[in-house]
Amino acid sequence: MHSVVITGTGLHQPPYTITNAELVESFNRYVAQENTRHADAIAAGTRAPLQPSSVEFIEKASGIKQRYVFEKEGILDPQRMYPRYQERSDDQLSMMAELAVAAARQALQQAGRQGVDIDAVLCAASNMQRAYPAMAIEIQQALGAGGYGFDMNVACSSATFAIEQAVNAVRTGSARCVLVVNPEITSGHQAWNDRDCHFIFGDVCTAILVERADSATAPVQWEVLGTRLATQFSNNIRNNFGFLNRSEDSDPQARDKTFRQEGRKVFKEVVPIAAAHIEGHLADLGHVPAAVRRYWLHQANEGMNQFVIKKLVGEADRERAPLILDEFANTASAGSVIAFHKHRDDLVAGDIGVICSFGAGYSVGSVVVRKR
Ligand code: CO8
């Protein structure tokens, strides 16, 4: 068995931001338009009017202040309410692969590696833009990597679940250098016209390079002390979009074909699962939560992270569990990786940190690392 290190991370950020004010302004125009369109049914009491959204609610309920997106006009167009992407031909790099390659190049540069050094690519995200060939194989080719690639999806926990696969491959010797990429184009499967969730998500792509410690040359390395994954079935976060929709003759625009959730239930149920998961994982590695210098937690909701960190160390501590969701919103599996990417330079050799995701499934994944 080989020691395993994380040697580089990358963050490819979309070019556009949508502030809460912009989002609410366009959403409320959509609400007014729909209520006018259905005025007769509303007056007859056969249809409930849509309710407006508010910046105050969004910031109080979630801590989110803005989000980055790869396309903005379509989302903010009250006649459309979802992004407008250009279809690409088979000989063009797909959108997910393009984002992943950009993030991967940063991770490779940080690690002092090139594409040819990679011998496995895992494309892990909440939704895949096509069924096959796997995006990971397209990314493998674009980077000039060897070995193999595959796609995987565990919703918000896709990144941590992929890191475990990468760590196991390197530990057991089946690969020496594994690239994990998380192209999260959440805009494409977000219900921008539903006020309960229209503010939640943002787009981004992250990358992580996992290598064998004895051959890693990166100036800064993070030894992986352990990984742990857990799942427990729940319908509280669900998206029924899929390849059987056509044969079911179901409506592709139906509400259940995009993200939906019982947010309050998710909040209440997932916090204790995540806190107990981290505590148990640390205990099995011989560490106590208070001795952990940094928690790079999943970024869905500020209150949720405060509860998790309070359960672990007794106080809500933004230095110990930094937030990036105010700027990025919930970026599904990329959230905890963004936190790790942006908030680790101040740690010193020997410091321990935990990357932890939690979300749909339910799923929770933790990666315990020590700075070398
Ligand atoms: N503006 C004004 N009022 C609103 C709005 C709004 N935008 N939205 C809801 N309200 C109203 C509600 O209607 C409700 O009114 P009433 O009391 O009259 O019924 C009131 O405000 C309170 O609503 P909630 O109870 O829903 O509000 P909460 O305080 O619970 O906050 C949150 C809602 C922010 C959604 C919160 O529950 C939360 O963050 N929960 C955790 C959710 C979570 O972590 N989910 C993880 C999902 S991500 C994941 O797993 C990955 C999936 C794959 C990615 C998908 C990409 C698209």
Side-chain angles (χ1 to χ4, degrees):
M1 294 289 175
H2 303 282
S3 287
V4 182
V5 288
I6 293 173
T7 52
T9 55
L11 169 65
H12 180 63
Q13 206 161 306
Y16 307 105
T17 54
I18 299 179
T19 64
N20 286 344
E22 287 176 291
L23 187 76
V24 166
E25 197 270 331
S26 109
F27 180 85
N28 288 349
R29 276 199 289 139
Y30 165 77
V31 166
Q33 165 201 296
E34 288 302 290
N35 286 346
T36 304
R37 195 155 70 92
H38 298 290
D40 290 347
I42 293 168
T46 54
R47 187 183 181 104
L50 293 179
Q51 297 300 315
S53 182
S54 89
V55 170
E56 296 70 33
F57 172 85
I58 295 170
E59 294 183 1
K60 190 159 170 279
S62 69
I64 294 164
K65 296 205 163 68
Q66 62 159 43
R67 67 283 302 139
Y68 293 99
V69 289
F70 289 111
E71 197 279 336
K72 180 170 173 172
E73 303 306 324
I75 294 169
L76 294 182
D77 177 357
Q79 307 289 336
R80 183 174 171 93
M81 304 296 277
Y82 51 89
R84 184 174 275 111
Y85 302 136
Q86 200 133 45
E87 196 172 1
R88 299 183 184 190
S89 65
D90 289 359
D91 53 10
Q92 284 179 292
L93 200 59
S94 67
M95 190 167 164
M96 284 181 83
E98 180 185 305
L99 310 177
V101 166
R105 291 205 195 286
Q106 293 177 30
L108 286 167
Q109 191 181 18
Q110 220 174 65
R113 292 290 186 202
Q114 295 188 327
V116 69
D117 298 320
I118 298 169
D119 50 17
V121 177
L122 309 186
C123 179
S126 298
N127 272 72
M128 296 299 157
Q129 74 175 83
R130 63 165 181 261
Y132 40 78
M135 258 63 70
I137 304 173
E138 194 184 359
I139 297 161
Q140 175 195 18
Q141 186 195 43
L143 290 170
Y148 61 92
F150 63 87
D151 296 345
M152 54 176 283
N153 174 359
V154 200
C156 281
S157 288
S158 299
T160 53
F161 275 54
I163 292 171
E164 173 163 300
Q165 309 321 307
V167 168
N168 287 346
V170 175
R171 227 187 256 305
T172 55
S174 70
R176 294 184 78 96
C177 177
V178 183
L179 173 71
V180 173
V181 284
N182 319 106
E184 290 287 10
I185 311 173
T186 63
S187 289
H189 47 113
Q190 158 75 318
W192 294 98
N193 58 355
D194 179 342
R195 84 163 180 163
D196 286 345
C197 65
H198 78 115
F199 55 90
I200 291 181
F201 293 101
D203 300 333
V204 85
C205 180
T206 48
I208 304 159
L209 206 65
V210 174
E211 294 188 64
R212 238 166 92 163
D214 60 10
S215 52
T217 55
V220 182
Q221 302 178 10
W222 297 83
E223 183 183 0
V224 179
L225 301 180
T227 57
R228 178 167 293 178
L229 315 178
T231 52
Q232 180 185 310
F233 186 72
S234 168
N235 273 324
N236 288 333
I237 313 170
R238 194 165 170 124
N239 179 342
N240 284 336
F241 178 79
F243 77 98
L244 294 181
N245 293 161
R246 183 184 67 162
S247 306
E248 293 162 344
D249 294 319
S250 56
D251 175 4
Q253 297 289 348
R255 180 63 191 87
D256 73 323
K257 304 301 184 296
T258 48
F259 170 89
R260 69 202 156 107
Q261 71 168 350
E262 294 286 340
R264 183 111 341 158
K265 284 190 190 158
V266 173
F267 191 113
K268 281 202 188 123
E269 291 171 11
V270 169
V271 165
I273 296 173
H277 179 98
I278 294 171
E279 199 167 6
H281 190 191
L282 285 170
D284 288 348
L285 292 169
H287 299 289
V288 290
V292 171
R293 176 76 199 284
R294 185 119 326 139
Y295 289 92
W296 300 285
L297 298 179
H298 179 53
Q299 304 282 322
N301 180 295
E302 182 176 2
M304 223 171 174
N305 286 17
Q306 283 176 355
F307 273 107
V308 170
I309 202 70
K310 249 190 210 163
K311 270 184 184 287
L312 289 169
V313 301
E315 55 172 351
D317 179 348
R318 271 193 75 162
E319 199 268 329
R320 208 193 293 242
L323 268 195
I324 56 93
L325 64 78
D326 48 351
E327 179 184 350
F328 286 86
N330 182 341
T331 50
S333 74
S336 56
V337 181
I338 302 174
F340 177 61
H341 177 81
K342 283 183 160 289
H343 294 280
R344 64 172 196 254
D345 288 351
D346 56 325
L347 270 63
V348 298
D351 277 348
I352 288 177
V354 179
I355 302 169
C356 182
S357 66
F358 33 88
Y362 297 136
S363 59
V364 50
S366 51
V367 181
V368 181
V369 295
R370 178 167 53 208
K371 188 167 183 176
R372 300 221 313 170

